[in-house]
Amino acid sequence: MKKNKIVYIGLSADILHEGHINIINTAKKYGNIVVGLLTDKAISSYKNIPQLSYKQREIILKNIKSISKVIPQNTLDYTDNLNLLKPNFVVHGDDWKTGVQKLTRLKVIKTLKKWGGKLIEPKYTKNVSSSIIKKKISESYPENRVSRLKRLIYSKDIVRILESHNALTGLIIETLKLQNKEFDGMWSSSLTDSAIKGLPDNSSLSFSARISSLNDMMDVTTKPLVFDADNGGQIEHLPFLIRSLERSGVSAIIMEDKVGLKKNSLFKNQTGTKQDKPKLFAKKIKKICTSRKSQDFMVIARIESFIVGKGLKDALQRADIYSKAGADAILIHSKEKTPSEIFSFAREFKKSKNYIPLVSVPSTYSKVYEKDLIKNGFKLVIYANQLLRAAYPSMQNTARTILKNSRAFEADKKIIPIKEIINLIKND
């Protein structure tokens, strides 16, 4: 009997369109529909995190009359759910015969053979795509990035952030894709923001000036942005800074536990550098937590114990205090050439009942692979200054070439055509 048959559909269901309805209408002809709803983590393994949370998508599907049941599908691979349900049929559009889901399809066919199940593949509905629809929506109504970063951290193995110091670098981060890899967001660095203004990295550039430049970047991008706030300034001024950052769409603030005139942490000589007292810095964290309008706006505490030579014990004590004060993540900073220092911190901090996600900035230990950061419990990696460091020598060499040859022809051989720059920036 048809009513005793189980029909399995794997869906993301972020934006339901006529293609999904065609699949559901096909499936109900064969029996009772069970939807394997892909979790945020499953979706982010092969494309952007969905606009709607798992819970929101689940509620929508449960209210579609034709669907009997909704269960989570935790990976792109159907195998676990198929072995659990042993459905008579799986229904999927024929578009997955090629591309990223080709291997998934083959595993479905192999698994169904165990009990004589059948794969039904209705013709893909042309000229409709969730990705295209989402792109059009984001162009007209930029999404709320404030909540997006936190969802990424809890959905992906690691969140990849790259330094951006102007709107053009923001566009590079926004558009660059390499197979299924891309940057998840941008880092607004006090070092690079100061450098492009010709100022030293000692908080000479005001927060208001930095936010003004940051807004240019936000106008042409949709990805989350993490803001480098140095030590945050005076505690009394923090509510105004947080208000401005949230209004601009910033997703997180990173604040370091140092006091006095800033000295860049990567300088070898840290004489005179002082850390804040842990309880006083914790008050700053609490002030941000009470000032933010959205609980999804993240407060990330940056610990400088290794930089000033205080060691592991001091770093762990501070991490516990900052976590209890309300920090959403801990950035453990190091200027060593290997990640052994931060990995030793991660191993010990994992044992704490106050454990929260960890952030890495591999500027000096740049040989570390993301897979090793993941293995050691890091959820966010910030490539903090590489774009500016790449741009400076290229611009200097180009200027030198023009000066040397008294014309631009020789320089043209080593730089991209102006057409590529024009095409990067939309003209509509």
Side-chain angles (χ1 to χ4, degrees), residues 291-308:
S291 301
R292 62 187 174 187
K293 288 186 177 179
S294 170
Q295 292 302 305
D296 290 331
F297 179 87
M298 297 184 71
V299 190
I300 301 174
R302 172 172 149 180
I303 297 176
E304 296 284 294
S305 299
F306 290 142
I307 300 297
V308 300

Side-chain angles (χ1 to χ4, degrees), residues 9 148 176 260 337 368 390 393 422:
I9 308 175
R148 190 170 177 83
L176 183 64
K337 292 183 179 179
V368 69
I422 294 168

Side-chain angles (χ1 to χ4, degrees), residues 367-384:
K367 288 184 178 179
V368 69
Y369 285 104
E370 289 171 4
K371 64 182 181 181
D372 294 317
L373 291 172
I374 294 167
K375 196 184 299 181
N376 283 274
F378 286 84
K379 292 291 291 182
L380 192 147
V381 57
I382 299 174
Y383 298 101

